[in-house]
Amino acid sequence: MKSDFLKGTADGIPIALGYLSVSFGFGIMAAGAGLSVFEAFMISLTNLTSAGQAQGVSIIASGGTLFEMAVVQFIINIRYALMAISLSQKLDESFTLPKRLLGAYGITDEIFAVCSASKGSLKPKYMYGVILVSTVGWVLGTFLGAAAGEILPSSVTAALGIVLYGMFIAIIIPPSRKEKSVLFVVLTAAALSCICKYFIPTISGGFAVILCALISSLMGAIFFPKKYDKEDENK
Amino acid sequence: MSIWIYIAVMAAVTYLIRVIPFTLFRKKIKSQLLQSFLYYVPYAVLSAMTIPAIFYSTGNMTTALTGTAVALVLAYFDLPLIVVALAASASAFLCGLLLV
């Protein structure tokens, strides 16, 4: 059981590194909007989400209403609901209610990705390990960015921008090699995402991702339905 | 208005979005269509998030394409996540040094 936690922490390291660079930028932004280091730190600790936090800070800075804050957070972060449903299907039996309440805190794009890709059912301790390391990276980066601003040379922060995407590629390529159905879904999603980006720029990034994912997953499910027992074997 | 009230609203909405479906879905979904759909969701989400955003992730298309190519090759050979992620970043960094 101990090794589940350690395995989770190891798999969380690339997330933490990516988060460090992204949240560093968030910290700089929050400080620029007039928030204290402690406030920026607490936003990152309680929210653990990139786009939602950035938008939240701009609402605070512009003196928006609490209603506006709630609606914007809901729209930007609703994709987590889809991820939570998807993850709920591979939870281990030991994932009791209190553990679900705890684990839900850490459902982000990246943690979801790593937990989905983990072999077998998802164990609480594995998920905690991933969340712990990732969260440390996220709040540490926020703290450094808000407190110290531009200490890293820009060549380093620029190169760190690709870390999370590199990890995503490492997650989607191996199953795409093994199953042509996954390859189909991956290519369809990428194509739709490009169409949104270059031809329908009015769609916000977060919403475009949901739309592309829904359409391509549905197409995958229609054209390549997974056999019941076969899926259990794979997992 | 206190900044802390804003932060509390942000945190509450974001947590509820995560925790309600995570605790509510206790049974395995039986529908084959829905099950297949949920199986593909992670790959679709990641693919849509990565392409084309990765090409702009370093602020320079050349270094980003270098990093992407390295990541694709290493991922094809099934290397661990951290190796692929760091190699992508390192190659983008080195490419950036060469460009200057």
Side-chain angles (χ1 to χ4, degrees), chain A residues 197-209:
Chain A
K197 163 97 179 168
Y198 299 115
F199 298 103
I200 325 172
T202 42
I203 301 184
S204 78
F207 189 66
V209 167

Side-chain angles (χ1 to χ4, degrees), chain A residues 90 118-121 179 226-235, chain B residues 35 39:
Chain A
K90 71 170 289 177
S118 68
K119 294 221 163 59
S121 62
E179 295 177 64
K226 300 283 296 177
K227 286 269 171 4
Y228 223 87
D229 39 10
K230 195 188 160 215
E231 210 216 331
D232 284 335
E233 239 174 76
N234 283 347
K235 290 249 160 133
Chain B
Q35 214 185 33
Y39 174 80

Side-chain angles (χ1 to χ4, degrees), chain A residues 143-216:
Chain A
F143 172 79
L144 292 175
E150 284 133 34
I151 42 168
L152 281 179
S154 61
S155 58
V156 175
T157 48
L160 283 175
I162 203 172
V163 169
L164 290 176
Y165 296 113
M167 188 185 78
F168 292 164
I169 286 182
I171 291 172
I172 57 182
I173 295 299
S176 299
R177 260 185 80 184
K178 287 181 206 107
E179 295 177 64
K180 72 172 195 294
S181 58
V182 175
L183 181 65
F184 167 82
V185 170
V186 162
L187 292 178
T188 307
L192 290 174
S193 175
C194 288
I195 292 172
C196 287
K197 163 97 179 168
Y198 299 115
F199 298 103
I200 325 172
T202 42
I203 301 184
S204 78
F207 189 66
V209 167
I210 298 184
L211 203 64
C212 298
L214 286 176
I215 296 172
S216 53

Side-chain angles (χ1 to χ4, degrees), chain B residues 46-89:
Chain B
L46 293 181
S47 180
M49 280 178 57
T50 304
I51 312 287
I54 190 171
F55 306 131
Y56 306 94
S57 63
T58 62
N60 177 308
M61 192 75 89
T62 312
T63 64
L65 283 172
T66 306
T68 307
V70 167
L72 284 171
V73 171
L74 296 183
Y76 186 82
F77 292 107
D78 226 342
L79 278 124
L81 299 184
I82 182 144
V83 174
V84 178
L86 292 182
S89 184

Side-chain angles (χ1 to χ4, degrees), chain A residues 13 47-48 64 69 77 86 88-89 100-101 104-105 107 159 168 177 179 181 186 193 198 217 224 226, chain B residues 6 10 14-15 17-18 22 25 28-29 32 36 38-41 44 47-51 56 76 82 89:
Chain A
I13 290 172
N47 282 264
L48 200 68
M69 177 67 94
N77 292 330
S86 180
S88 74
Q89 296 300 299
R100 288 178 184 228
L101 293 176
Y105 159 79
I107 300 173
F168 292 164
R177 260 185 80 184
E179 295 177 64
S181 58
V186 162
S193 175
Y198 299 115
S217 302
F224 304 96
K226 300 283 296 177
Chain B
Y6 280 111
M10 279 172 82
T14 308
Y15 181 65
I17 288 170
R18 289 166 166 153
F22 202 58
F25 281 80
K28 292 280 177 222
I29 289 168
Q32 197 192 21
S36 310
L38 290 173
Y39 174 80
Y40 292 127
V41 161
S47 180
M49 280 178 57
T50 304
I51 312 287
Y56 306 94
Y76 186 82
I82 182 144
S89 184

Side-chain angles (χ1 to χ4, degrees), chain A residues 75-143:
Chain A
I75 291 170
I76 294 181
N77 292 330
I78 190 67
R79 68 184 185 285
Y80 295 141
L82 187 65
M83 297 177 188
I85 295 171
S86 180
L87 272 187
S88 74
Q89 296 300 299
K90 71 170 289 177
L91 294 185
D92 195 66
E93 281 174 2
S94 57
F95 241 116
T96 53
L97 182 64
K99 288 174 180 163
R100 288 178 184 228
L101 293 176
L102 204 58
Y105 159 79
I107 300 173
T108 68
D109 301 318
E110 296 77 15
I111 292 169
F112 161 72
V114 166
C115 288
S116 303
S118 68
K119 294 221 163 59
S121 62
L122 179 58
K123 309 265 193 327
K125 282 182 181 167
Y126 176 83
M127 192 178 185
Y128 295 161
V130 180
I131 292 174
L132 182 71
V133 174
S134 307
T135 305
V136 168
W138 186 246
V139 296
L140 187 65
T142 305
F143 172 79

